[in-house]
Amino acid sequence: MGINQGRPPFPTIKRLALYTRPLESLLGSKVQVVSSEMLAKMCGVTPAQVRKDLSYFGDFGTRGVGYDVVELLKTIKGILATDRKWNLCIVGIGNLGKALAENENFKKRGYEFVALFDSEKEKIGKSLGPGLVIYPLDEIPQKVKELNIEIGVITTKANQARRAADLLVLGGIRAILNFSPIQLRPPEGILLENIDISVRFEKIAYVLAKGLK
Amino acid sequence: MGINQGRPPFPTIKRLALYTRPLESLLGSKVQVVSSEMLAKMCGVTPAQVRKDLSYFGDFGTRGVGYDVVELLKTIKGILATDRKWNLCIVGIGNLGKALAENENFKKRGYEFVALFDSEKEKIGKSLGPGLVIYPLDEIPQKVKELNIEIGVITTKANQARRAADLLVLGGIRAILNFSPIQLRPPEGILLENIDISVRFEKIAYVLAKGLK
DNA sequence: TTTTGTGAAGGAATTCACAGCA
DNA sequence: TGCTGTGAATTCCTTCACAAAA
């Protein structure tokens, strides 16, 4: 019973988020109990992995039976802090920025975009979705403070990314999710995550070309 | 000298792709030589990591000097098989699909979208960019064969993802890049990569909430 | 000198295999 | 009996530290 050794590995955190999806669909179909084996299959991982991941946070299962779907989902959301609202903003309202802003899934999970920014004059003042207005970049610091924005998403062109990051930092942002292919260097204490989609293509190309598994 | 032990770790492959970006900008500014230390700093990794990564494939540096930028870039592109063209298609032409289709960076790296697919009647026949027409989903298998498409990108809504994957497989696709939050199960031998953006938000939320480094 | 290339050491994450409990 | 929870074993990846080369 309960609480494993030191801090859980980061891969564990990402998998917890993964577990959430099939769990929600099980919930929808009124399944009450799930085994590590079933959950594992639904997520493409091993059963031992599922159990180990969960064991870092306590023990939620019943031996011989499995995990209660409702309880497990609630627990994971608690661990991931998805049981509260997070205010985000997007800098750079091109296609990608729009795609994120209009995606309903994020809001469902508690991630709410409360401000949009772009450098193009023609876009300023336009709104996307329900009352989501596009502001100029200079207003980033002020809006971040005013609206309590904790996470900033950068979807600008490469040449604007650095400026976007600086302005977010100035406003007191806590984390940045960067889609540009630029290496940002935020000050100590600010969390940076990069998503570089073409890196994924490159991995695919490598595997295909080398013909390895 | 040269060629390290067994197959290189996958993290190494992803970093090679990462190294490519600053290398290109160095190339642009006519810098001829780069040390592992400088390259490391530009990418946010350690110098030892850079050298170890490269050592899996041979030795390209000159001791006491560094790496020749032009040569290193060419070598990495060769390793990643980015020195040739790859034909891709996108299934699901919403904002995200559009963002990918219109992004010039991919083509620059050899990843060319040669067909688009969507299930909405109103979108069929429209074209995006230079001669990129949107076809209905049923035409996926035929077009994949006809145009020699090796990589399929799925940017549909969740409820269409499975069908999209099946049709791609039917056409003989070799790899699938899946942006939907659905766990796909392609047959043996077909490479699947998932990009689930909200997982990244979840990791950020976790770190912020726990206040850990 | 300077900076690479790399075995050896260390650390992190996964898998094994089984004890413990329902 | 069946499935969880978890130390121990293993595999995988990174970092260290230094010999080798320019």
Side-chain angles (χ1 to χ4, degrees):
Chain A
M1 33 79 165
I3 307 298
N4 207 314
Q5 54 271 45
R7 77 130 187 64
F10 278 114
T12 288
I13 306 307
K14 296 200 174 171
R15 278 190 304 267
L16 286 185
L18 221 65
Y19 300 158
T20 265
R21 284 119 183 92
L23 240 25
E24 275 166 353
S25 88
L26 288 173
L27 195 71
S29 41
K30 305 270 187 266
V31 176
Q32 307 209 339
V33 171
V34 66
S35 66
S36 60
E37 193 176 344
M38 186 191 292
L39 189 54
K41 195 167 290 171
M42 294 176 90
C43 299
V45 303
T46 68
Q49 184 79 81
V50 170
R51 296 199 300 275
K52 178 63 92 178
D53 284 342
L54 295 175
S55 81
Y56 286 106
F57 302 95
D59 38 55
F60 314 116
T62 309
R63 294 170 197 232
V65 179
Y67 302 88
D68 182 274
V69 172
V70 175
E71 196 183 281
L72 185 57
L73 189 56
K74 205 181 334 171
T75 305
I76 293 181
K77 284 189 171 177
I79 294 167
L80 293 177
T82 315
D83 52 355
R84 76 176 196 62
K85 221 191 108 208
W86 293 89
N87 291 333
L88 328 201
C89 68
I90 304 179
V91 189
I93 311 303
N95 281 315
L96 179 56
K98 247 185 260 175
L100 296 173
E102 292 178 350
N103 188 322
E104 285 303 312
N105 285 324
F106 298 125
K107 190 185 266 189
K108 236 185 290 172
R109 296 186 196 292
Y111 305 107
E112 190 157 356
F113 297 109
V114 298
L116 309 177
F117 302 95
D118 201 287
S119 56
E120 284 184 35
K121 287 215 182 62
E122 310 83 61
K123 292 184 183 167
I124 311 290
K126 294 208 170 157
S127 70
L128 226 70
L132 247 188
V133 184
I134 302 179
Y135 302 104
L137 294 205
D138 343 354
E139 295 192 23
I140 292 177
Q142 176 201 335
K143 290 284 174 197
V144 166
K145 284 197 196 87
E146 201 175 296
L147 301 171
N148 263 303
I149 298 172
E150 295 178 281
I151 306 173
V153 180
I154 297 182
T155 50
T156 60
K157 291 265 148 65
N159 59 3
Q160 302 257 357
R162 206 98 58 181
R163 173 147 182 257
D166 290 344
L167 290 166
L168 289 168
V169 169
L170 210 61
I173 207 82
R174 298 183 64 201
I176 293 175
L177 183 61
N178 174 39
F179 281 87
S180 85
I182 295 294
Q183 171 71 14
L184 300 173
R185 300 289 252 109
E188 191 66 21
I190 293 179
L191 178 63
L192 172 68
E193 287 277 305
N194 293 294
I195 299 189
D196 187 332
I197 296 172
S198 57
V199 168
R200 298 308 209 83
F201 283 129
E202 259 132 12
K203 192 199 151 187
I204 291 176
Y206 172 81
V207 176
L208 290 188
K210 299 303 173 283
L212 37 85
K213 160 87 242 197
Chain B
M1 45 66 172
I3 306 297
N4 208 313
Q5 56 269 42
R7 78 131 186 66
F10 278 114
T12 289
I13 305 306
K14 295 200 175 173
R15 279 191 302 268
L16 286 185
L18 220 66
Y19 300 157
T20 266
R21 283 118 184 92
L23 240 26
E24 275 167 353
S25 89
L26 288 173
L27 195 71
S29 40
K30 306 273 187 264
V31 177
Q32 308 208 338
V33 171
V34 66
S35 67
S36 60
E37 193 175 345
M38 185 190 294
L39 189 53
K41 194 167 291 170
M42 295 176 89
C43 299
V45 301
T46 67
Q49 184 78 81
V50 169
R51 296 198 299 276
K52 177 63 90 176
D53 283 343
L54 295 175
S55 81
Y56 287 105
F57 302 95
D59 37 55
F60 314 115
T62 308
R63 294 172 196 229
V65 179
Y67 302 88
D68 182 275
V69 172
V70 175
E71 195 182 282
L72 185 57
L73 189 55
K74 206 181 333 171
T75 304
I76 294 182
K77 286 189 170 179
I79 294 167
L80 293 176
T82 315
D83 52 354
R84 74 174 194 65
K85 221 190 105 207
W86 293 88
N87 290 332
L88 329 200
C89 67
I90 304 179
V91 190
I93 310 304
N95 281 315
L96 179 56
K98 247 185 261 174
L100 296 173
E102 290 178 352
N103 189 321
E104 285 304 313
N105 285 326
F106 297 126
K107 188 186 265 189
K108 237 186 288 171
R109 296 186 196 291
Y111 306 107
E112 190 158 355
F113 297 110
V114 297
L116 309 176
F117 302 95
D118 201 286
S119 56
E120 284 183 34
K121 284 214 184 61
E122 310 82 61
K123 292 184 183 168
I124 311 291
K126 294 208 169 152
S127 70
L128 225 70
L132 246 188
V133 184
I134 302 178
Y135 301 104
L137 293 205
D138 344 352
E139 295 192 21
I140 293 177
Q142 177 201 335
K143 290 283 175 196
V144 166
K145 284 198 196 87
E146 201 176 296
L147 301 171
N148 262 303
I149 298 172
E150 295 177 280
I151 305 172
V153 180
I154 297 182
T155 51
T156 60
K157 290 265 149 62
N159 58 3
Q160 302 257 356
R162 207 97 58 182
R163 173 148 181 258
D166 290 344
L167 289 167
L168 288 167
V169 169
L170 210 60
I173 206 83
R174 296 183 65 200
I176 292 175
L177 184 60
N178 174 39
F179 281 86
S180 85
I182 295 293
Q183 173 68 17
L184 301 173
R185 302 289 252 111
E188 190 68 20
I190 292 178
L191 178 63
L192 171 68
E193 286 278 306
N194 293 294
I195 298 188
D196 187 332
I197 295 170
S198 57
V199 168
R200 297 307 209 85
F201 283 128
E202 260 133 13
K203 191 199 151 187
I204 290 176
Y206 171 81
V207 176
L208 291 188
K210 300 304 174 283
L212 36 85
K213 164 78 248 198

